[in-house]
Amino acid sequence: MRVPDLLAHASRRYPDKRCVAVGGRELTFAAADARAARFAALLHARGVGDGRRVALLALNELEYLEIRVGAQRAGAILVPLNYRLSEPELKALLEDCEPDLLIVSPEYADLGERVGAAELLVLGDGGSYAAALSAAAPLPRPDGLAAEQAGLICYTSGTTSRPKGVLLSNWALHATTMQMAQEIGATPYGVYLAANPLFHIGHTVGFAFAYCGGTHLQLRKFDADAYLELLTAGAFTHGQLVPAMIQTLLERTADARGGALQRLLYGAAPMAPELASRTLAAWGCELVNGYGSTEAMGISMLPPEDHDPQRRPHLLASVGRSSPGMTARVIDEEGRDAPAGAVGEVIARGPNLMSGYWRNDDATAAALRDGWMHTGDLGYRDDDGYLFLVDRRNDKIVTGGENVYPTEVEHALAEHPAVREAAVVGVANPRWGEQVTAVVVTRDGFADDAALIAHCRTRLAGYKTPKQVVFAAELPRTSTGKLLRRELRQQLAAATAAPAAPS
């Protein structure tokens, strides 16, 4: 079986339409298709195909789409890398995937030289990538892509362990593109703004617009002022943000209307219902909550009709129901379906799943069992089948024999007007095993821990109420907005273990 690439349809039907734009640069669909053909030829000339790897360390560059498509046409596997990683971290990933070629933004040219690869190409005007591309004779577009061939290796964010390379087949990527086109409402007349890093698997949402013939507008990297300028100018109709970005934008200006914005997808981290309500009121757009992971893309969606703060406010805390083509279950410790309201592990099955972890058979066998992806996420279903996440399995706090799920406590804290964002973790306690500890970023210098504990006590059971509140300037997050609870726990443990300063 073969599947089409991202440019196959639109380049034939809309050759002269704007395909991708970054800053003052843009490409039509015909131009992007031709450049992808040249990149495929460039790889073939270097013997890079048949499962060989091409690494990409770049901001949201104009060339991202053509590199993705050209690599797949050549039969190579693209490995997009997180540009926020340290040099040793990047070196470890490159040693793991062993690329034949490393392509970098101009900002990372020196870094690319240091971390090493068989060949280095630098993007940008006058860069070696442009020269190599212009010298290549375009390859004819293949009659689709081999469905089972791996198209991407995306490394996990490493929030709970060392990053693992997730192998995604052309079939899984195509299925997710079709699903995202349906869920976010991609059309040839839409303009999607990519503000999140394109190295994240969430880029499949925006590239669904390219597939359909819409425009893929990009910020090279997230910038709140630039985003708000495009928002108020009505420059885009659809977008995707993580909750931390939405929080930043809403705090930057309270009166920025949504312009032409029709629908916004959010995900990658839980969003407090209070923040969802503020977003709806401020921007007047539709919201879609997407739940999934690099290993299992698009597990479930909460559509716009379920974002109603007046009629069904409790659903703002849900990640919806299974997406088209995907099946999600909540199972207990024995692998049986958990009854409504009972917390268990979320598992998923469908075409969007990974093929496995790159060179890690043990991790693959642990995650993929009998065709089901075991996500490690804990959640429950209500009587209507809506899925509610409570936390990662490793993030559950056990205090005095009772289970506490940090997200519930964080939502309670978010209801306090002085709280900008909060993270809750378990800290070792000799009496209770763990104690519930909140790390809070506040507004206007607020620093009354007793007031926050009292606030939570009116909303939560006593054992769920934080025993300690620590104030911070910011919370540690991955580049895709996921909270690094492991880092918080380490910081708090180190602070607890540190000897007291002499008086």
Side-chain angles (χ1 to χ4, degrees):
M1 187 172 64
R2 301 185 75 79
V3 296
D5 64 53
L6 288 168
L7 290 169
H9 166 72
S11 60
R12 288 191 293 260
R13 189 166 182 179
Y14 310 105
D16 299 323
K17 277 194 65 180
R18 185 175 63 153
C19 171
V20 58
V22 184
R25 304 172 65 206
E26 61 181 53
L27 294 171
T28 64
F29 278 97
D33 183 73
R35 289 171 66 89
R38 288 183 179 275
F39 183 63
L42 179 159
L43 294 180
H44 270 195
R46 288 161 170 78
V48 183
D50 297 325
R52 304 298 299 177
R53 276 77 61 203
V54 176
L56 178 58
L57 179 64
L59 301 175
N60 292 355
E61 306 287 7
L62 187 78
E63 297 86 355
Y64 226 104
L65 177 58
E66 71 194 48
I67 291 171
R68 157 84 183 269
V69 173
Q72 287 179 289
R73 289 181 183 180
I77 304 174
L78 183 65
V79 187
L81 298 171
N82 182 347
Y83 54 76
R84 293 176 179 169
L85 295 178
S86 68
E87 185 172 325
E89 288 172 320
L90 286 169
K91 199 164 201 174
L93 297 189
L94 290 168
E95 288 173 355
D96 185 56
C97 68
E98 296 182 304
D100 294 291
L101 184 65
L102 173 63
I103 304 171
V104 299
S105 286
E107 292 91 332
Y108 307 120
D110 291 341
L111 177 59
E113 291 280 4
R114 293 196 301 272
V115 295
E119 184 179 359
L120 179 71
L121 292 180
V122 182
L123 298 168
D125 294 336
S128 53
Y129 173 87
L133 199 72
S134 64
L139 280 181
R141 184 192 302 117
D143 182 23
L145 308 170
E148 298 305 319
Q149 164 72 34
L152 285 181
I153 294 176
C154 288
Y155 280 93
T156 61
S157 55
T159 54
T160 58
S161 63
R162 289 187 61 187
K164 296 186 286 287
V166 177
L167 275 166
L168 297 168
S169 69
N170 291 326
W171 170 245
L173 293 167
H174 175 70
T176 305
T177 298
M178 297 298 95
Q179 181 195 83
M180 290 299 115
Q182 176 179 338
E183 293 288 359
I184 200 172
T187 73
Y189 315 104
V191 178
Y192 174 89
L193 177 59
N196 294 325
L198 292 179
F199 63 73
H200 184 250
I201 194 58
H203 74 252
T204 54
V205 178
F207 283 167
F209 276 80
Y211 180 84
C212 293
T215 298
H216 196 265
L217 184 64
Q218 297 169 192
L219 293 176
R220 285 189 81 226
K221 62 194 314 184
F222 177 70
D223 177 270
D225 291 334
Y227 192 99
L228 289 170
E229 182 178 344
L230 291 170
L231 176 71
T232 54
F236 60 99
T237 59
H238 295 73
Q240 179 186 18
L241 295 169
V242 300
M245 291 176 174
I246 296 173
Q247 179 80 44
T248 297
L249 292 166
L250 290 178
E251 289 186 347
R252 188 64 59 95
T253 176
D255 56 3
R257 296 300 296 168
L261 182 60
Q262 299 171 17
R263 186 171 290 186
L264 181 70
L265 177 73
Y266 65 94
M271 176 148 67
E274 180 270 341
L275 180 56
S277 297
R278 286 171 54 205
T279 306
L280 289 166
W283 292 346
C285 62
E286 295 180 334
L287 291 179
V288 177
N289 182 2
Y291 163 57
S293 65
T294 309
E295 297 94 330
M297 302 171 284
I299 294 173
S300 68
M301 295 280 174
L302 186 74
E305 59 267 25
D306 288 330
H307 285 77
D308 189 337
Q310 305 303 319
R311 191 167 61 92
R312 292 196 290 179
H314 71 286
L315 287 184
L316 294 180
S318 170
V319 293
R321 295 184 277 201
S322 298
S323 300
M326 295 295 286
T327 302
R329 295 166 56 202
V330 178
I331 60 170
D332 62 19
E333 294 290 343
E334 284 73 42
R336 300 170 302 199
D337 287 313
V343 173
E345 183 181 9
V346 179
I347 64 174
R349 183 173 65 185
N352 300 12
L353 298 188
M354 69 171 183
S355 304
Y357 291 113
W358 172 253
R359 294 176 175 173
N360 195 334
D361 293 340
D362 290 343
T364 299
L368 285 175
R369 287 175 257 159
D370 299 322
W372 292 89
M373 176 68 201
H374 290 245
T375 67
D377 293 327
L378 297 177
Y380 66 91
R381 289 193 183 279
D382 68 8
D383 291 332
D384 296 318
Y386 286 90
L387 178 62
F388 293 77
L389 300 180
V390 295
D391 264 303
R392 292 286 299 173
R393 179 185 291 275
N394 292 339
D395 292 333
K396 180 178 69 175
I397 302 167
V398 181
T399 179
E402 298 284 356
N403 294 335
V404 177
Y405 300 106
T407 299
E408 182 182 8
V409 186
E410 288 161 4
H411 284 175
L413 284 162
E415 293 175 3
H416 192 286
V419 173
R420 185 177 184 272
E421 54 181 345
V424 172
V425 296
V427 174
N429 181 283
R431 181 177 181 185
W432 305 109
E434 290 182 293
Q435 71 173 27
V436 180
T437 301
V439 182
V440 181
V441 180
T442 61
R443 300 182 175 93
D444 303 322
F446 181 91
D448 189 340
D449 57 341
L452 292 182
I453 292 172
H455 163 82
C456 289
R457 196 171 287 125
T458 65
R459 290 161 169 78
L460 300 168
Y463 68 89
K464 298 180 181 180
T465 299
K467 301 298 184 289
Q468 180 186 20
V469 174
V470 177
F471 296 99
E474 61 181 0
L475 299 178
R477 295 186 181 275
T478 69
S479 57
T480 55
K482 291 183 180 179
L483 180 67
L484 289 168
R485 293 190 201 274
R486 180 179 59 177
E487 188 171 315
L488 273 182
R489 283 192 289 266
Q490 291 171 347
Q491 292 173 359
L492 290 168
T496 303
S503 57

